Amino acid sequence: MPRYPDIDLPDDPKLGHNITHFARALRAAGLPVGPGQVIDAVRAAAAAGFTSREDFFYALRASLVTRPEHLTVFAQIFRLYWRDPRYMEHMMAMMLPAIRGVQEDRGAQAAEKRAAEALLDGVAQDAPGIETDDSDEMQIDIDASATMSTEERLRQLDFEQMSTAEIAEAKRMLARLRLPVKPFASRRGIASPQGARIDMRRSMRGALRHGGEMRRIHRKAPRDRWPNLVVLCDISGSMSQYSRMVLHFLHAVANQKGAGWAQVHAFTFGTRLTNITRHLATRDVDAALAAAGRQAQDWEGGTRIGACLHAFNRDWSRRVMGQGAVVLLITDGLDRDAPEDLAREMERLHLSSRRLLWLNPLLRWEGFAAKAQGIRAMLPHVDAFRAGHSIATLDDLADAISRQGDTGEKARLMAAMQG
């Protein structure tokens, strides 16, 4: 075990105390921060100095963050702890129940509620600046009997606005979701006395057993066949939290017996395409996603949707989509590549699939419009365009896949684009 030499600190080491408390908040938020990293952070802060706020931020981040998916949580906790002079009031407001018209009407940013929960661990969650007494004053009673239950509220909550406890509960709810699919008629037939088609092969073989006399006409009906499910999941920086929750849901679908799917194939893409199908066979979801994260080296990186779709169409399309697969594309559509190339690859993907459904978390905004070039290039080549930012939107996928005429928001956005 490595040994660290003594650190030269002043008699009243407030810096070490504050950094230690800051590291404790990071650990409560889920970051693997140990004592050795805290010592490294104190040394890095002393070396970087305090003349620049950016130097102090990057010195602590380099010492305390070891995974790219933790950058957002670290940034929010740093902002609340070191930069915002009224961070305690903001955190208290986020942790207390909100009454519209009294509290500021502002949605929580990414990982902000999780950061507030970590910093307030063990602190009494009383409203700041409000003194309580036992005098006979007017009290306001709020009847919450008609409000949504905790589970129903969690179903509608955006994945980006969930706290640590809510994320854990959401993962348990996703593990219980089902994604059944209806079979479709195959060209191959199966023996059936009520079949609409005559089975000439069996009929002639029966006639040969009786000297050429056909005593019975055999019939056949189309055989039911279940399609493959192919998921293409964007793991770029803007899609990180949504991708993790979708992959939890996908792991549950892949390990369901009798769910209807012939095979489930999963691919992640950011700056390159990665096949993570074999990792989904692992029964433990945490081990499966950890193995997938080690293989996909472009987590929370850039986005090259067109190039990754080209790699899929070239290398994997014939292997996994030869029998009419249903394709789920999870991405926000924000791509910097040429829109002509992206449209061409989307058209080829659409022609190869039985149904192509696009889940976009940006649809959670009421004023969403197809203004980005990537979205305008992709939208005409999908069968359905739906939101994918909450448990409820993922739960609605089963009906969307089964209904052939379900296009989601595609018709409205296409009409707006043409207008």
Side-chain angles (χ1 to χ4, degrees):
M1 190 172 78
R3 297 180 59 87
Y4 291 90
D6 296 335
I7 305 176
D8 295 331
L9 292 175
D11 296 334
D12 189 12
K14 295 297 184 181
L15 175 63
H17 175 78
N18 289 332
I19 292 181
T20 301
H21 186 274
F22 177 64
R24 187 181 300 118
L26 294 177
R27 192 181 303 111
L31 276 67
V33 179
Q37 292 174 278
V38 177
I39 296 177
D40 292 338
V42 174
R43 291 184 175 278
F50 309 98
T51 57
S52 174
R53 186 176 297 172
E54 294 183 358
D55 293 344
F56 184 62
F57 171 81
Y58 287 112
L60 293 183
R61 194 179 77 170
S63 305
L64 301 175
V65 179
T66 57
R67 299 176 185 175
E69 58 267 23
H70 296 153
L71 295 176
T72 304
V73 180
F74 175 85
Q76 289 291 358
I77 295 180
F78 182 91
R79 181 183 69 84
L80 294 175
Y81 188 82
W82 297 101
R83 299 182 62 182
D84 193 343
R86 299 183 61 190
Y87 76 96
M88 187 61 69
E89 296 183 15
H90 292 304
M91 288 187 293
M92 289 293 186
M94 278 185 287
M95 300 300 293
L96 289 173
I99 303 177
R100 189 168 301 276
V102 178
Q103 188 179 357
E104 181 184 1
D105 190 5
R106 180 182 66 86
Q109 300 179 5
E112 190 174 14
K113 187 174 182 180
R114 183 176 171 187
E117 187 183 60
L119 285 173
L120 286 175
D121 187 18
V123 179
Q125 298 179 11
D126 297 329
I130 299 179
E131 298 181 356
T132 59
D133 52 24
D134 298 331
S135 59
D136 297 334
E137 295 182 358
M138 182 182 64
Q139 298 182 355
I140 301 176
D141 295 330
I142 300 176
D143 184 8
S145 59
T147 58
M148 292 187 298
S149 64
T150 304
E151 185 171 336
E152 182 61 27
R153 183 191 65 83
L154 197 60
R155 279 174 47 86
Q156 305 294 335
L157 188 61
D158 194 324
F159 290 139
E160 280 283 4
Q161 297 181 0
M162 290 184 178
S163 64
T164 307
E166 290 170 342
I167 289 177
E169 180 61 28
K171 290 178 180 178
R172 288 190 287 268
M173 294 175 62
L174 289 174
R176 299 194 300 264
L177 292 185
R178 298 293 182 264
L179 189 62
V181 62
K182 295 181 180 179
F184 60 90
S186 172
R187 292 183 180 180
R188 295 181 178 271
I190 186 173
S192 175
Q194 292 81 25
R197 293 185 296 174
I198 298 177
D199 191 344
M200 293 300 300
R201 186 174 183 176
R202 295 186 62 206
S203 299
M204 295 303 295
R205 283 188 175 184
L208 290 176
R209 298 190 187 98
H210 299 87
E213 180 181 357
M214 185 174 294
R215 297 184 177 182
R216 179 183 176 185
I217 298 179
H218 296 271
R219 294 184 175 275
K220 62 182 180 180
R223 182 193 302 268
D224 288 339
R225 186 167 65 84
W226 280 264
N228 293 341
L229 176 64
V230 179
V231 180
L232 300 172
C233 189
D234 188 350
I235 57 173
S236 60
S238 58
M239 288 288 298
S240 174
Q241 186 62 33
Y242 299 104
S243 302
R244 293 182 185 281
M245 304 303 287
V246 170
L247 290 178
H248 269 269
F249 170 62
L250 181 60
H251 179 271
V253 173
N255 288 273
Q256 289 170 8
K257 302 300 181 182
W261 300 102
Q263 288 182 324
V264 178
H265 302 274
F267 298 83
T268 61
F269 66 90
T271 56
R272 63 181 181 179
L273 184 73
T274 304
N275 185 1
I276 62 170
T277 302
R278 63 187 180 92
H279 299 305
L280 296 181
T282 306
R283 297 295 298 176
D284 185 77
V285 61
D286 295 326
L289 295 188
R294 287 192 297 268
Q295 183 178 357
Q297 299 296 324
D298 52 346
W299 279 94
E300 293 199 3
T303 310
R304 299 187 60 197
I305 303 177
C308 294
L309 290 182
H310 175 72
F312 176 81
N313 291 330
R314 181 193 60 198
D315 301 332
W316 294 99
S317 180
R318 292 178 180 270
R319 306 184 194 183
V320 301
M321 299 180 61
Q323 299 179 351
V326 175
V327 180
L328 292 181
L329 179 62
I330 299 100
T331 179
D332 52 12
L334 304 179
D335 190 22
R336 296 183 179 180
D337 289 342
E340 297 81 8
D341 298 338
L342 178 57
R344 181 170 59 252
E345 298 300 334
M346 281 293 299
E347 181 181 11
R348 182 178 175 182
L349 180 64
H350 187 208
L351 294 175
S352 303
S353 59
R354 183 174 185 87
R355 288 204 74 195
L356 176 56
L357 294 87
W358 181 9
L359 302 184
N360 192 331
L362 295 180
L363 271 178
R364 67 187 186 274
W365 307 113
E366 295 182 359
F368 175 83
K371 297 181 179 180
Q373 292 185 352
I375 297 177
R376 299 176 70 90
M378 297 169 62
L379 190 59
H381 305 290
V382 299
D383 295 310
F385 185 52
R386 304 179 62 87
H389 64 283
S390 63
I391 299 176
T393 55
L394 295 181
D395 195 13
D396 293 339
L397 270 182
D399 295 335
I401 292 176
S402 302
R403 293 195 302 265
Q404 294 293 329
D406 190 312
T407 61
E409 297 293 324
K410 178 184 176 181
R412 178 181 65 84
L413 294 176
M414 287 295 298
M417 287 172 54
Q418 296 174 358

